[in-house]
């Protein structure tokens, strides 16, 4: 197979649930440092697509290649090690730990010199925690218990926990749901920073937000791609207006 410049290549991907094709022969090509937004009506298959890419759901057919390596048959934890990070809709942070501790426990232990045997907070980890905390805008909240953070701050903390692993592909499912206007603005800026060092896929409904962050937009409908391209083009596409934007 020829080398490509794509970080992620998805071809002919198909999965059925009880005979219903949730993803139907789908192709998707994501470049390095690209911020792609996936939109589409409820039930279009957006979340299922992320489940297939991260290995939570097994494909019935098709291929997923990441950095020119076939991922399709690899288990979820191996894909994490290959650099795939996935943020789910409900944040899975440790409410009783501080911001610092949440980030610290997310440092990939296999990568530290001493390994998992007796993991301790080395300077390397501490430096990385500070860098990530600054990146997610929680640099001055390191000692705050995570349970005391606002809804938006919790979402950023979870993004930070993923960043601790330095993923090369980060996938976020509706990251601004429930956020205030200000938090949405800050999240847009955060996602733009994050994609400087990696590919990012975001599922989102808020069109103003999509317009602000997307390099390219993929519109899904019934497990297939209905339209794809710059927001400007996609939002004027009659098919997209018909099945999604018009509602
Ligand atoms: P979206 O995220 O675009 O709203 P989903 O990917 O969640 O859509 O769902 C696509 C379709 O697949 C829906 O009809 C949903 O009911 C179905 N589906 C998703 N996951 C499962 C599952 N694990 N078992 C059965 N059906 C599922
Ligand atoms: Mg969904």
């Amino acid at each position: 197979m020829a080398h490509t410049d794509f970080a992620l290549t998805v071809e002919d991907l198909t999965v059925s649930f009880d005979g219903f094709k949730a993803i139907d022969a789908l192709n998707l090509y994501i470049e390095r440092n690209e911020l792609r937004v996936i939109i589409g009506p409820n039930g279009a298959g957006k979340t299922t697509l992320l489940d297939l890419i991260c290995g939570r759901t097994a494909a019935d057919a098709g291929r997923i290649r990441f950095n020119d390596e076939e991922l399709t048959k690899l288990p979820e934890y191996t894909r994490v090690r290959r650099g795939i990070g996935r943020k789910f809709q409900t944040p899975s942070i440790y409410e009783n730990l501080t911001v610092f501790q949440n980030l610290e426990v997310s440092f990939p232990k296999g990568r530290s010199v001493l390994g998992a045997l007796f993991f301790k907070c080395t300077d390397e980890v501490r430096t990385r925690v500070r860098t990530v905390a600054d990146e997610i805008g929680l640099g001055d909240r390191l000692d705050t218990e995570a349970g005391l953070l606002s809804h938006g701050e919790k979402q950023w903390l979870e993004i930070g926990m993923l960043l601790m692993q330095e993923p090369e592909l980060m996938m976020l499912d509706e990251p601004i749901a429930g956020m205030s206007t200000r938090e949405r603005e800050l999240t847009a800026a955060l996602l733009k920073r994050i994609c400087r060092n990696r590919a990012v896929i975001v599922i989102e409904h808020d069109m103003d937000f999509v317009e602000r962050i997307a390099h390219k937009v993929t519109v899904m409908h019934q497990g297939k791609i209905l339209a794809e391209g710059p927001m400007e083009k996609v939002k004027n596409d009659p098919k997209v207006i018909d099945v999604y934007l018009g509602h």
Side-chain angles (χ1 to χ4, degrees):
M1 180 101 194
H3 173 82
T4 69
D5 273 337
F6 295 115
L8 181 76
T9 304
V10 170
E11 285 175 328
D12 296 322
L13 196 67
T14 302
V15 74
S16 303
F17 301 117
D18 305 318
F20 167 77
K21 280 190 179 170
I23 297 291
D24 189 0
L26 184 136
N27 297 329
L28 185 75
Y29 303 90
I30 308 286
E31 287 177 60
R32 299 174 208 289
N33 308 104
E34 178 179 354
L35 200 167
R36 176 75 58 96
V37 180
I38 300 178
I39 62 173
N42 283 330
K46 305 180 297 295
T47 299
T48 303
L49 176 60
L50 298 198
D51 287 344
L52 287 162
I53 295 170
C54 79
R56 174 158 287 221
T57 301
D60 293 337
R63 289 169 304 282
I64 300 166
R65 296 169 60 79
F66 181 61
N67 288 332
D68 276 312
E69 185 189 12
E70 178 84 37
L71 284 190
T72 322
K73 300 279 186 266
L74 298 180
E76 190 168 10
Y77 69 88
T78 309
R79 298 189 200 195
V80 171
R81 285 200 200 138
R82 294 291 192 276
I84 294 188
R86 162 89 182 273
K87 187 194 172 306
F88 292 90
Q89 275 165 287
T90 33
S92 50
I93 57 170
Y94 303 99
E95 301 258 335
N96 299 323
L97 299 184
T98 64
V99 168
F100 184 96
Q101 290 166 332
N102 269 279
L103 294 173
E104 184 192 1
V105 298
S106 306
F107 187 83
K109 292 165 186 61
R111 258 187 242 166
S112 84
V113 185
L114 298 174
L117 281 179
F118 49 107
F119 177 69
K120 60 176 187 175
C121 193
T122 61
D123 284 344
E124 184 197 359
V125 182
R126 244 175 256 138
T127 305
R128 179 108 196 97
V129 166
R130 297 229 162 78
T131 306
V132 168
D134 286 339
E135 187 160 18
I136 58 175
L138 297 177
D140 55 359
R141 309 297 300 276
L142 284 172
D143 297 326
T144 303
E145 223 175 88
L148 300 174
L149 297 174
S150 74
H151 170 75
E153 289 169 334
K154 286 180 184 175
Q155 303 285 331
W156 299 332
L157 177 57
E158 199 191 4
I159 291 172
M161 291 166 76
L162 289 168
L163 288 175
M164 287 299 290
Q165 328 236 355
E166 302 188 281
E168 287 180 56
L169 169 66
M170 179 109 139
M171 303 191 287
L172 303 99
D173 200 344
E174 304 189 21
I176 61 164
M179 281 190 184
S180 68
T181 308
R182 178 74 186 134
E183 286 174 336
R184 285 167 187 235
E185 280 166 13
L186 291 169
T187 305
L190 171 58
L191 293 180
K192 284 182 188 173
R193 285 199 296 278
I194 286 175
C195 77
R196 283 189 206 138
N197 298 319
R198 59 185 57 79
V200 177
I201 301 177
V202 180
I203 294 175
E204 197 40 71
H205 287 294
D206 182 316
M207 283 305 125
D208 291 334
F209 187 76
V210 174
E211 192 137 23
R212 213 175 312 160
I213 64 167
H215 297 165
K216 253 166 128 183
V217 177
T218 295
V219 188
M220 285 184 64
H221 181 51
Q222 297 177 342
K224 292 179 159 63
I225 291 178
L226 183 71
E228 193 168 83
M231 181 64 165
E232 210 38 49
K233 178 181 155 225
V234 158
K235 78 173 178 192
N236 293 310
D237 184 327
K239 293 193 304 284
V240 177
I241 294 166
D242 187 37
V243 307
Y244 186 56
L245 294 176
H247 295 271

